[in-house]
Amino acid sequence: MNYTLVRSAKRKRSLSLIVKQGELIVRAPRFTPRFLIDQFVASKATWINSQLSEAPAPSPSPNFPDESSLTKYIRSELAVYSQRLQLFPLEVKFREVTSYWGNCRSPGILSFNLALRYAPAPAVTYVVVHELVHLKHQGHGRAFWALVKATYPQTNEMRRTLRQLSHALRSTHHSRRPARPTL
Ligand SMILES: [Zn+2]
């Protein structure tokens, strides 16, 4: 478990813990050996985890200042990758949803989550490529991923970024279900 250790210069005799803004801070007397501190922290794991999960996560700041800058970016990326892949959606929709980053449920119709404004631009591009490739391959089979990764080499990295963002958004908005990139 990660923690910030504060050594007390005063004649402090005991160890203490606080959780502040999602961070665990351990105060210890100056000469207490590290292994004893680790043992102490481990013995309090249940309490620490309950405190950490209650701490409100900082609200992520949007990478796109407003919805229209996001939709403009998505449309321009769609134009670029539609040409490259020779795959053209019939219709593009933008929605505020909690269950996906993008989807391609109806034939030819792509939807994008407006919460993508919290994602960095390369992650948005990945979602665009992902959805366009669904116009050719419906499921998430080998052929699907091969084409996505060939078209957008940062795919794995951006999937990680989006997973972290889902988590951040979920802890910020407690009622939200995690947003997932498509399905
Ligand atoms: Zn998908």
Side-chain angles (χ1 to χ4, degrees):
M1 191 172 285
N2 286 325
Y3 57 84
T4 303
L5 180 60
V6 179
R7 294 283 189 177
S8 175
K10 294 179 200 144
R11 265 195 243 149
K12 187 176 165 60
R13 283 172 183 264
S14 59
L15 291 154
S16 64
L17 303 172
I18 53 165
V19 172
K20 207 172 166 183
Q21 288 166 342
E23 190 194 8
L24 174 62
I25 299 164
V26 182
R27 293 179 192 281
R30 201 196 293 187
F31 301 111
T32 306
R34 191 72 185 224
F35 81 93
L36 280 179
I37 299 171
D38 286 339
Q39 266 176 23
F40 174 71
V41 169
S43 75
K44 304 287 182 192
T46 310
W47 178 83
I48 292 164
N49 285 326
S50 74
Q51 294 295 304
L52 286 174
S53 63
E54 273 171 33
S59 198
S61 56
N63 289 298
F64 293 90
D66 50 38
E67 285 176 7
S68 75
S69 62
L70 173 72
T71 58
K72 224 160 121 183
Y73 180 80
I74 289 176
R75 287 189 191 283
S76 77
E77 291 299 84
L78 277 169
V80 170
Y81 286 95
S82 284
Q83 278 301 330
R84 197 173 299 177
L85 290 160
Q86 287 298 298
L87 294 168
F88 301 90
L90 296 174
E91 203 184 331
V92 177
K93 292 178 175 177
F94 298 97
R95 295 191 167 145
E96 189 82 53
V97 286
T98 58
S99 51
Y100 58 78
W101 289 118
N103 96 356
C104 178
R105 217 157 274 165
S106 328
I109 300 174
L110 305 187
S111 302
F112 295 93
N113 188 345
L114 288 167
L116 281 169
R117 66 185 176 279
Y118 293 102
V124 177
T125 302
Y126 155 69
V127 176
V128 165
V129 171
H130 182 122
E131 297 314 323
L132 278 175
V133 171
H134 273 316
L135 296 175
K136 185 170 181 179
H137 300 289
Q138 291 200 329
H140 296 106
R142 198 174 289 183
F144 170 84
W145 285 117
L147 185 52
V148 171
K149 288 174 186 176
T151 310
Y152 202 63
Q154 293 144 278
T155 288
N156 287 339
E157 195 186 331
M158 291 309 132
R159 291 181 76 199
R160 265 197 303 281
T161 300
L162 288 171
R163 266 199 298 276
Q164 285 160 3
L165 179 61
S166 296
H167 187 77
L169 289 175
R170 188 178 39 185
S171 27
T172 306
H173 310 280
H174 282 282
S175 58
R176 267 175 182 274
R177 286 194 292 123
R180 282 181 300 160
T182 71
L183 278 179

